[in-house]
Every structure is written in structure tokens, then in C-alpha cells.
Amino acid sequence: MNEINLKIKAYLNGTEIDLGDVKFDISQTIEPVDDLKLYTTSEIANLLGVGEDYINLLRNNHALVATQLGKRFMYSRKEIKNFQENFEGCELANREMIMDAVKNLHKKKSSTPGK
């Protein structure tokens, strides 16, 4: 059900003219709602199975990117996926390990052509 059907009519000198039906495939024109959803710190902590303090530690050390809306930090699905891809296999047990992993990621990105 990714289609919209429209009946097109025009009026010329007070006379209605039926111009026919038009179908639009909207599956390619509207982003899925899931990609637009932002998650709270609490929701991300639950998704990753960690505490909120740990999510704040990741954010404060630039391992996890958030958008601040008022006093709340919100996380996009894209940023969660980036975090998972960027730090897969890394040990992030404490602040120093997180900082080292972020530093290594930046080195890797700056030495990769086209990045």
C-alpha cells in the first residue's frame, strides 16, 4: 500500500473537466518513520543493555553522537548504527579505553583515502 491515487479535475470557464487518474508511488519519496525517530538516553541504554551513565560516558567522550534538544540528549538510529560499526570489536570498559578507541578511529579515518 505504497500508492496514492488522485483524481485530477480542472475548471475552465465554470466547466469541470476530468483530466483522469494519477497514481503516485510514495515508497521512494517518503523516508520510513523509523529512520526519523530519535531515542532518549534511557531508550539507548535499554537497547544496548547498559546503564544511562555509560551512555553519557560514551557521548561525553565522542564515541556516541547525540543531538541536544533542550536538556535532553537524543540519538538517531543512524548514529547508533555508526557506533556499532565504528567500535565493533573494541573494548570500551572505561573512559581511557573509550578515548583510545575514539583516537584510533580518527587516525584510521584520516589515513583512509576518500574519507
Side-chain angles (χ1 to χ4, degrees):
M1 204 42 111
N2 292 325
E3 230 176 48
I4 295 177
N5 295 313
L6 297 176
K7 198 171 268 302
I8 308 294
K9 294 182 180 184
Y11 292 89
L12 182 61
N13 296 327
T15 304
E16 183 179 287
I17 302 169
D18 186 1
L19 298 177
D21 295 339
V22 178
K23 290 183 181 182
F24 291 100
D25 179 8
I26 62 168
S27 62
Q28 301 300 318
T29 58
I30 299 176
E31 292 182 40
V33 174
D34 288 346
D35 288 347
L36 300 176
K37 180 173 174 26
L38 294 175
Y39 298 89
T40 64
T41 301
S42 175
E43 289 172 319
I44 295 306
N46 288 333
L47 284 172
L48 298 179
V50 298
E52 289 183 41
D53 288 344
Y54 185 70
I55 298 300
N56 292 330
L57 181 65
L58 292 172
R59 186 193 70 247
N60 291 336
N61 288 285
H62 310 287
L64 186 56
V65 178
T67 300
Q68 188 169 0
L69 300 174
K71 292 183 179 183
R72 299 178 86 184
F73 289 95
M74 304 297 287
Y75 303 85
S76 69
R77 177 173 285 198
K78 177 183 172 190
E79 290 305 332
I80 299 305
K81 287 180 181 179
N82 286 343
F83 169 76
Q84 290 173 319
E85 290 171 7
N86 289 336
F87 297 102
E88 183 177 11
C90 293
E91 189 171 344
L92 304 173
N94 57 46
R95 183 176 184 272
E96 289 75 27
M97 290 178 163
I98 293 168
M99 290 173 56
D100 285 344
V102 169
K103 189 188 318 180
N104 290 335
L105 175 66
H106 288 297
K107 281 183 187 176
K108 181 179 170 183
K109 285 187 175 184
S110 66
S111 67
T112 304
K115 295 273 179 178

